[in-house]
Amino acid sequence: MKKKILTAAILSALMIGQISLFAQNAENKTATSESKEWKSQISEKDWLSDKAISIKDGAFGFVDNPEKKYGWIESKEKFPFSQNAEFCIDFKSIKGCSVTLQLQIFNENKKFIGAVEILKDLKESGIKNITFQSITVDPKTAFVNFKIWMKSGNQGANVEIKELIYKY
């Protein structure tokens, strides 16, 4: 008799747990359907670059300066941070260099407080999807932007990006 009551209690608890999980998933889907999205191609309109890098037609590469081994581009806009955010970048080609993608983090006043490397020393093209749930950031993080570093000793090195998408 005790065994049947215990089994019934466990089943009831599991059913209640499942019901609350279903309710939580429904809430998450509602929040996701209201999410925002930023799409960009590499252009001077949306991106800044250091003096070692030139931006042109969806691509960026080193300006003719064989002494420069590093260069970067950075999204001009800062976006609200969400631990549930997703980022997708489609590298059409990476030639003669490696690429590192950083998530730059800012507090509520948009003051820079640090950076996290999301992809490091990437040398192969393709689509890369990143979920922010796996990224640890400062608890004061309120805004983010993206910085792409290019490392090379080769003249003519360049990176072509088809599209970037940030869903938050």
Side-chain angles (χ1 to χ4, degrees):
M1 181 74 166
K2 285 184 183 179
K3 202 175 200 180
K4 287 182 181 179
I5 293 171
L6 184 58
T7 303
I10 291 171
L11 287 173
S12 294
L14 286 173
M15 288 175 60
I16 291 168
Q18 287 176 341
I19 291 168
S20 67
L21 282 175
F22 290 132
Q24 188 177 6
N25 285 339
E27 287 174 20
N28 288 343
K29 286 182 181 174
T30 303
T32 304
S33 65
E34 296 173 12
S35 66
K36 295 182 182 179
E37 183 175 278
W38 175 71
K39 289 185 179 184
S40 176
Q41 295 180 330
I42 302 300
S43 70
E44 290 179 339
K45 180 184 131 215
D46 294 333
W47 295 83
L48 301 169
S49 68
D50 73 356
K51 292 180 180 171
I53 299 289
S54 66
I55 299 171
K56 185 177 180 183
D57 300 327
F60 60 99
F62 281 106
V63 175
D64 291 333
N65 184 349
E67 294 178 19
K68 277 297 228 177
K69 304 286 186 218
Y70 294 91
W72 55 264
I73 64 170
E74 175 181 342
S75 60
K76 289 181 180 179
E77 191 170 343
K78 293 173 181 62
F79 307 96
F81 174 74
S82 166
Q83 200 69 53
N84 296 320
E86 298 174 351
F87 182 75
C88 177
I89 185 167
D90 186 351
F91 290 99
K92 190 172 180 180
S93 67
I94 300 173
K95 296 179 182 173
C97 63
S98 65
V99 175
T100 295
L101 173 63
Q102 282 184 338
L103 179 68
Q104 296 197 108
I105 55 178
F106 302 85
N107 66 15
E108 62 186 22
N109 298 319
K110 296 187 178 179
K111 181 181 177 196
F112 178 78
I113 56 175
V116 177
E117 289 183 348
I118 299 174
L119 300 171
K120 186 168 174 68
D121 294 329
L122 189 65
K123 295 181 181 178
E124 295 180 11
S125 59
I127 298 171
K128 309 299 178 203
N129 293 300
I130 297 118
T131 58
F132 284 18
Q133 292 173 345
S134 61
I135 299 171
T136 304
V137 297
D138 186 301
K140 296 176 186 166
T141 302
F143 294 93
V144 296
N145 78 347
F146 305 97
K147 191 168 197 173
I148 303 172
W149 287 89
M150 184 175 175
K151 177 182 172 185
S152 174
N154 303 324
Q155 255 186 326
N158 71 21
V159 176
E160 190 172 356
I161 295 176
K162 187 173 180 182
E163 188 172 51
L164 300 99
I165 302 171
Y166 175 56
K167 293 180 183 180
Y168 56 101

